[in-house]
Amino acid sequence: MNDLDQLVAQATADFAAAHTPAALEDAKARLLGKAGRVTELLKGLAGATPDEKKTRGAAINQAKQRIEAALTARRQALADAELEAQLKAEALDVTLPGRQRGNGGLHPVSLTIERIESIFASMGFDVAEGPEIETDWMSFTALNNPENHPARSMQDTFYVDLQDEGGRWYNLRPHTSPMQLRYARAHSAKYAAQIARGEPIPEIRVIAPGRTYRIDSDATHTPMFHQCEGVWMGENVSFKDLKVVFTDFCRRFFETDALTLRFRPSFFPFTEPSAEIDIAFAEGPLKGKWLEVAGSGQVHPNVVRNYGLDPERHIGFAFGMGPDRLAMLRYGVNDLRLFFENDLRFLQQFR
Ligand code: DAH
């Protein structure tokens, strides 16, 4: 091996021993820099004969090219290694199982309300929602429940410490009955125009489910509970229609014809006559027991006036039922409070 071959071998070994770009550039400077070994060799030709310059010069240049090629290869190898290391460090293990989230499910009361909505929707009822903070007028006065009237104490109401510019007091609505007024009043101008054009008396057919509040707490009462209001008004919608609609609803809700309804005379200020609706199953664990599921009646003329309608023309019934009670009966739950304690072990059973 001549001296130039040796130099190339040495350079290649030096480059291989350089494990960082900086070390590699140092090694390069020692060979190809201003005072580097190759540069020195070329300078050494200064005193040589023209023939020597030609052969020796060509050999040195060839060696220089081989060293430069080795340098380029090593530079590339170092860059590749660095990229590889970076990729490795940043790699994601896509085979690692993700964090599991349990499947959600609807609350049993939500499932019950959806069920009520779909049955009434199939009978042509609209579904409406309204505010849980109500005026005294909507909750009581307009429902024929005058101030200081003893019937107000049927509901132990939560009052809100809030009075607006009109001097109106607010409460957490003790029932969904204000929705009768809100729905009818929202449409009364349209109805009046229809009647003025000589069209038939427009029907109101709506249910309004939602949260309601009373100062009550025991196995069958919670301070927050649900109600679903229903109204069907028209030219002459009677108590008979109420019986048909509610019986059909109960049979479809409980998926059985083996149940009987009883309309038990009662009092509500906003209906006349009024009835509580009780049901009894002909079979199953609750067989033969009368269970109260709703209040109902023919809407009182004073209330129809507050709808913004003429009680001589708009006649019909209303009812208010308890979806929580219906959920208890359907699922066989004996304590209402279980629904609202948010214990997943209980709620997961209804998914
Ligand atoms: N609002 C009544 C209550 O909370 C239930 C009720 C009774 C609603 C008779 C009605 C009705 O619409 O006609 O006890």
Side-chain angles (χ1 to χ4, degrees), residues 148-168:
N148 307 315
H149 192 282
R152 281 202 182 199
S153 60
M154 282 166 75
Q155 291 153 357
D156 293 316
T157 312
F158 286 107
Y159 284 91
V160 179
D161 194 8
L162 176 75
Q163 193 178 18
D164 65 17
E165 312 89 58
R168 293 180 307 183

Side-chain angles (χ1 to χ4, degrees), residues 23-38:
L24 183 62
E25 295 314 307
D26 279 351
K28 174 202 158 189
R30 282 197 297 277
L31 287 154
L32 305 172
K34 262 194 194 145
R37 305 250 306 275
V38 177

Side-chain angles (χ1 to χ4, degrees), residues 155 174-175 177 180 214 227 229-230 268 270-271 295-297 318-320:
Q155 291 153 357
H175 52 181
S177 299
Q180 295 182 24
R214 288 184 208 172
Q227 273 199 347
E229 198 74 12
F268 296 103
F270 30 90
T271 43
S296 65
F319 59 82

Side-chain angles (χ1 to χ4, degrees), residues 177-236:
S177 299
M179 284 307 295
Q180 295 182 24
L181 298 151
R182 287 191 174 274
Y183 188 85
R185 289 162 74 87
H187 296 92
S188 60
K190 185 183 79 191
Y191 300 148
Q194 284 172 306
I195 293 167
R197 287 199 298 270
E199 291 173 24
I201 300 295
E203 286 203 346
I204 300 175
R205 217 188 293 189
V206 65
I207 59 163
R211 277 188 278 270
T212 44
Y213 304 84
R214 288 184 208 172
I215 308 173
D216 277 339
S217 191
D218 59 39
T220 50
H221 297 88
T222 50
M224 186 287 300
F225 60 107
H226 296 83
Q227 273 199 347
C228 181
E229 198 74 12
V231 191
W232 186 354
M233 302 284 292
E235 194 165 357
N236 194 10

Side-chain angles (χ1 to χ4, degrees), residues 4-18:
L4 289 176
D5 286 340
Q6 231 163 9
L7 183 61
V8 171
Q10 183 60 50
T12 307
D14 286 356
F15 293 158

